[in-house]
Amino acid sequence: MLISNTTNFHPSTFLLLGIPGMEHQHIWISIPFCSMYTMALLGNATILLVVACDKTLHEPMYFFLCILSLTDLVLCSTTLPKMLAIFWFGAQHISYNGCLTQMFFIHMVFATESAVLLAMAFDRFVAICRPLHYSSILSPGVIGKIVMACVVRGLFFVFPFVILIQRLPFCGHHVIPHTYCEHMGIAKLACANIKINIIYGLTVALSVTGMDVVLIGFSYGFILHTVLHLPSQDAQLKAFSTCGAHVCVILVFYIPAFFSFFTHRFGHWMPPQVHIFVANLYLLVPPVLNPLVYGINTKHIRQRILTLFLGYK
């Protein structure tokens, strides 16, 4: 009977420590984090407002941009409010169900945003490499199916994380040395074999997100090949500038994410402070940069923002 009770035990709450060893610096660390969160909220909300208010922007490229802004808002809002509450008020407790909910949305929205970035890379590929077939390839029906596939894929691959955590006993362990609830961060607290969690997490990271990276690379490779054959040097420079900025933002999104994934499993030598800082980058930096690179850096979006907020024509 004792064994059964232990096996089925789940803590009522978890304790998020924030950044272990840097508790006295939490207030100072919160300043750039809060500033970036505010910029992410304003930037993505502006993109959504501008595209919604201007019918001339109701095109595939800007529709995908709106989906990206929505995922960015959810991604950073899933973690930053609780993180700031830890830094400012020492509100370290989070309920067991709340922790699993946060974990689910972090991974699901990350997987969805990865798929959206792939869709945007495909959109640019069609626009630059197959411009005459753009409207027929990316029809409204096709775009709707792409967006649905992005969301369903995220749900399908991430929901098993919840099941894999639910099956684990914790034997009283409830302290998470992190700023938010993440699959492997929770699984490591279990007093049971977590090999299945490790294998499934790596499988999803490599076969799903990793495949997105490969396909995005192919898309921009074809784009680069087409751009190099453009007759106008000005057109080449413009395309290089735009695609180069896109690639930089994509790298900022994926590199910290994969670093965090693999550090959880293999990086026992990595100082926890470094790991936690990097783990927060892929949840916060892309939502700040995406509105700038994909939105304000785009001529039509920039003009609409100036018209909407400053009255410029």
Side-chain angles (χ1 to χ4, degrees):
M1 187 67 181
L2 179 61
I3 293 175
S4 177
N5 288 340
T6 302
T7 302
N8 294 320
F9 178 71
H10 290 155
S12 59
T13 62
F14 284 111
L15 193 67
L16 292 168
L17 295 184
I19 306 178
M22 301 186 70
E23 288 82 1
H24 296 297
Q25 286 80 42
H26 276 177
I27 291 294
W28 298 107
I29 295 171
S30 70
I31 295 174
F33 277 31
C34 183
S35 300
M36 294 173 71
Y37 181 48
T38 303
M39 291 173 60
L41 292 178
L42 292 175
N44 287 287
T46 299
I47 295 298
L48 291 171
L49 177 63
V50 168
V51 175
C53 292
D54 195 328
K55 292 184 178 180
T56 63
L57 298 179
H58 293 181
E59 299 177 3
M61 172 184 173
Y62 302 110
F63 183 75
F64 285 132
L65 180 59
C66 285
I67 301 300
L68 183 67
S69 291
L70 283 173
T71 57
D72 278 338
L73 286 173
V74 177
L75 189 64
C76 60
S77 295
T78 301
T79 57
L80 262 295
K82 179 60 180 178
M83 189 188 307
L84 293 176
I86 295 171
F87 290 165
W88 290 342
F89 312 114
Q92 297 177 318
H93 288 88
I94 183 170
S95 69
Y96 175 81
N97 290 329
C99 193
L100 262 61
T101 301
Q102 187 185 58
M103 176 201 74
F104 172 78
F105 275 102
I106 290 171
H107 293 299
M108 194 278 285
V109 176
F110 176 82
T112 302
E113 180 158 338
S114 178
V116 172
L117 288 174
L118 174 58
M120 294 179 74
F122 177 69
D123 171 81
R124 291 300 84 205
F125 163 76
V126 176
I128 295 174
C129 302
R130 301 288 188 272
L132 298 179
H133 302 91
Y134 182 80
S135 58
S136 60
I137 294 175
L138 288 173
S139 63
V142 171
I143 293 172
K145 291 176 182 177
I146 290 175
V147 173
M148 182 64 66
C150 292
V151 176
V152 170
R153 190 195 71 163
L155 291 169
F156 179 79
F157 283 104
V158 172
F159 187 74
F161 284 145
V162 178
I163 299 174
L164 290 172
I165 293 296
Q166 287 276 24
R167 58 179 279 276
L168 295 173
F170 291 89
C171 307
H173 303 149
H174 67 287
V175 178
I176 303 176
H178 210 304
T179 53
Y180 58 84
C181 297
E182 192 264 350
H183 171 238
M184 284 306 300
I186 303 172
K188 283 182 176 180
L189 299 181
C191 51
N193 192 318
I194 61 171
K195 187 175 181 179
I196 296 178
N197 298 70
I198 295 173
I199 293 173
Y200 184 76
L202 284 173
T203 301
V204 171
L206 295 176
S207 65
V208 179
T209 312
M211 185 57 66
D212 289 346
V213 174
V214 171
L215 294 176
I216 289 172
F218 274 119
S219 296
Y220 279 102
F222 285 120
I223 290 171
L224 177 62
H225 179 268
T226 302
V227 167
L228 289 175
H229 289 81
L230 291 175
S232 170
Q233 189 173 7
D234 289 339
Q236 288 182 348
L237 291 174
K238 182 179 179 181
F240 274 129
S241 174
T242 301
C243 292
H246 291 185
V247 170
C248 288
V249 172
I250 289 169
L251 291 176
V252 169
F253 180 72
Y254 284 110
I255 290 177
F258 279 112
F259 177 87
S260 178
F261 293 159
F262 290 118
T263 300
H264 258 308
R265 293 156 179 87
F266 310 112
H268 305 296
W269 50 271
M270 180 64 62
Q273 295 88 347
V274 175
H275 177 205
I276 294 171
F277 266 112
V278 175
N280 283 297
L281 289 180
Y282 80 91
L283 300 179
L284 187 57
V285 175
V288 173
L289 294 181
N290 285 340
L292 299 175
V293 173
Y294 288 107
I296 297 174
N297 194 42
T298 304
K299 181 180 178 181
H300 296 298
I301 292 284
R302 186 168 60 249
Q303 288 178 339
R304 298 305 184 276
I305 291 175
L306 291 174
T307 302
L308 184 63
F309 292 105
L310 301 179
Y312 293 160
K313 300 293 186 181

